[in-house]
Amino acid sequence: MLHGFRSFVLRGNVVDLAVGIVIGAAFTTVVNGFVKAFLTPMVGLATGATGDFSRKTFMIGETVFPYGNFINATISFLLIACALYFLVVLPVNKLHERFAPHQDVQADKRDCPACLNPVPVQAYRCGHCTSELTSPRGAPDGDIPPPAGPPADAGRR
């Protein structure tokens, strides 16, 4: 029982996820500090507050609504999202394109006469319904050899 748990915890993706969560929490603390120290006072100055937007509230009856904290959280979220996109996602995508260029070559397709699903033109058997197909369009039956494989009677002895 403990052996299975240990192998689960020590799997690469679980450890990577744990490290990512810890680094994300630390990064969130840094961004929240930046928002409170620099951006909140700038937003407060722009809106006419005395430099501290996080203390903005309004009241309905006896209930206080601290909407400044919501503004701080929104700014923090946007900063984290922008930082992750520009500092992680974009560079990783560029590296991926450089070292593994996308070569999406689509094979010509034709419809299977039995199930009407698209199959490659060169296919001799439908991958969906496994029905045998005639030779590809435009080629006489004798021009294209059948697929290599064991003879039909190889398994019968």
Side-chain angles (χ1 to χ4, degrees):
M1 181 172 169
L2 290 178
H3 176 69
F5 179 73
R6 186 182 74 191
S7 66
F8 168 74
V9 170
L10 294 179
R11 259 194 239 164
N13 55 357
V14 173
V15 174
D16 292 343
L17 180 63
V19 169
I21 289 172
V22 170
I23 289 175
F27 185 69
T28 300
T29 304
V30 170
V31 170
N32 284 337
F34 178 74
V35 167
K36 287 179 184 174
F38 295 103
L39 291 182
T40 299
M42 285 185 210
V43 171
L45 289 173
T47 60
T50 59
D52 188 9
F53 191 69
S54 65
R55 295 184 186 174
K56 294 295 251 179
T57 62
F58 68 91
M59 290 185 68
I60 297 179
E62 297 291 320
T63 307
V64 176
F65 293 90
Y67 69 91
N69 290 332
F70 174 74
I71 302 274
N72 282 346
T74 303
I75 292 170
S76 295
F77 171 77
L78 290 175
L79 276 178
I80 291 170
C82 287
L84 284 176
Y85 180 75
F86 289 111
L87 299 177
V88 176
V89 173
L90 224 74
V92 167
N93 286 346
K94 293 291 183 185
L95 283 174
H96 183 67
E97 287 176 11
R98 177 182 285 172
F99 293 113
H102 184 66
Q103 298 174 357
D104 191 15
V105 178
Q106 293 290 326
D108 291 335
K109 302 271 186 190
R110 64 181 169 149
D111 289 337
C112 171
C115 68
L116 300 177
N117 282 308
V119 294
V121 170
Q122 298 298 324
Y124 283 92
R125 189 172 292 276
C126 177
H128 302 280
C129 69
T130 68
S131 64
E132 286 191 35
L133 303 173
T134 58
S135 64
R137 267 190 253 147
D141 285 338
D143 284 356
I144 299 175
D153 64 343
R156 299 181 199 151
R157 289 196 180 177

